[in-house]
Amino acid sequence: MSVISRLLLVLLLLASAEPGFAESLSKQVALQASSGSSEINMLKNLPGPDGRYDYASFDEATGHLYVARATSVTDYDIKNASAAKSIGHIAHGHAVLFLPHSSDLLVTSGEDSTVRFIDRNTGHQTGQITVGTDPDGAVIDTDHDIAYVMNAKSGTVSVIDLSARKVVKTIVLKPGLEFPALGKNGTLFVNNEDENEIETIDTRRLTAGSSIVLADCTRPSGLAYDAVSDHLISACANGKAALVSAGNRKVIGLLDIGSKPDAVILDAHRRRAYIPCGGNGELDEISLVSTPAVTKRIPTEFGARTGALDGQNGTLYLPTARYLQTAGEKHPPMVAGSFHVLVVNPDEKN
């Protein structure tokens, strides 16, 4: 199909689409034009059940993609191209992580302040732990079989012994905790979107450390740690990605990104970081080789703000949906039957 034909097709879709979806498509066309791309980027997608969505994770060993949803976890068997299925029962899921040496998933359940353990083979719950108020992001220290859960509203971190399935320590930080990342020498870094800073924890002593002020970065959400450079990448709501020296605890640079990001996805093997920006429907690729820089702005869809990576082949999976938008509405309603996961390989034409 020629470029002109593709543009005509998009214009026809714009004419018939709901307002929010039309706006998203318009931004994708503009983004393609500004980037000099010769084709509209047509993306593959995986359908799924309706409902809110948040973080996702991909298990390279089994080829399964897991997406935390409002009341359950959506399980995609990518390897066998099976239809999506819902497993477990949760109350506003945020993080979903697969456990080492176990068939269980760890899921943070925000509205009832619990962590749920769900057997991914049977879909049944195998355990439940009460943590702080509004558990959001989480990370697993596989070397020590420990999980760290960020309790956003109470401003605490629950330290969970995964073998015993119990909280062994609660570390007090500040309210507003978002996504965590484990660094070297036993340091845990946590974005704080209320304070515009990164909190730190010494995981060897299980004590709070000094915070890192994120100048010119507002409401940081997604966070990733690059071990090669010893740098952190933090996604900021004001259209910036903050580059932070983990060793020196200072911001060393800012990169321009899209709007409403909520995750930073590290591809350590290819020396890249990806930031899905759901406000204007783009996936920003940052090269971590030499001086970090945004090297691609890949059109996606409005609402695609989190995701997961298959590190073996570089494919990214970005959950999203279509929305009915009205001016000034912070959380517009989804179009029924429109939830899906975008499948993007940045090194291929989609």
Side-chain angles (χ1 to χ4, degrees), residues 137-150:
V139 67
I140 294 175
D141 181 348
T142 56
D143 291 338
H144 300 94
D145 213 22
I146 295 289
Y148 299 93
V149 174
M150 312 304 116

Side-chain angles (χ1 to χ4, degrees), residues 23-264:
E23 181 184 356
S24 176
L25 282 171
S26 297
K27 288 178 178 177
Q28 290 182 50
V29 174
L31 184 59
Q32 285 286 352
S34 66
S35 65
S37 176
S38 62
E39 294 186 1
I40 299 299
N41 200 326
M42 297 297 185
L43 305 178
K44 296 175 285 186
N45 68 77
L46 307 171
D50 283 340
R52 293 178 297 183
Y53 55 91
D54 206 344
Y55 297 123
S57 62
F58 188 86
D59 184 359
E60 294 176 15
T62 63
H64 279 250
L65 170 71
Y66 302 99
V67 184
R69 308 298 303 279
T71 59
S72 63
V73 172
T74 303
D75 175 6
Y76 292 90
D77 184 351
I78 304 297
K79 186 176 181 180
N80 296 308
S82 302
K85 63 179 181 180
S86 297
I87 59 174
H89 297 283
I90 49 182
H92 194 175
H94 287 293
V96 53
L97 303 169
F98 48 89
L99 302 185
H101 319 300
S102 171
S103 62
D104 281 0
L105 298 170
L106 179 153
V107 188
T108 56
S109 184
E111 290 182 358
D112 62 1
S113 299
T114 66
V115 164
R116 310 289 183 93
F117 295 97
I118 300 168
D119 188 311
R120 43 186 170 163
N121 294 326
T122 66
H124 296 154
Q125 182 170 303
T126 62
Q128 180 173 321
I129 300 173
T130 299
V131 290
T133 307
D134 192 20
D136 194 341
V139 67
I140 294 175
D141 181 348
T142 56
D143 291 338
H144 300 94
D145 213 22
I146 295 289
Y148 299 93
V149 174
M150 312 304 116
N151 304 309
K153 290 184 180 178
S154 59
T156 61
V157 175
S158 297
V159 183
I160 299 175
D161 182 329
L162 293 175
S163 298
R165 300 287 174 95
K166 68 177 184 180
V167 175
V168 294
K169 179 82 172 181
T170 298
I171 303 170
V172 178
L173 296 178
K174 303 173 187 176
L177 303 181
E178 270 281 323
F179 205 80
L182 281 167
K184 67 180 182 180
N185 299 324
T187 303
L188 176 68
F189 299 93
V190 190
N191 266 341
N192 188 319
E193 66 174 355
D194 291 351
E195 301 292 335
N196 301 332
E197 62 189 26
I198 297 175
E199 315 296 346
T200 67
I201 288 175
D202 182 338
T203 64
R204 294 172 178 173
R205 297 179 175 84
L206 295 181
T207 56
S210 59
S211 59
I212 304 171
V213 176
L214 296 177
D216 300 316
C217 167
T218 61
R219 298 187 67 80
S221 53
L223 184 68
Y225 172 73
D226 176 42
V228 174
S229 62
D230 194 33
H231 288 167
L232 295 155
I233 305 101
S234 181
C236 315
N238 60 327
K240 300 291 183 181
L243 305 174
V244 180
S245 169
N248 294 332
R249 309 290 175 93
K250 293 182 179 179
V251 175
I252 57 175
L254 293 168
L255 299 175
D256 291 328
I257 59 171
S259 62
K260 294 186 178 179
D262 201 22
V264 180

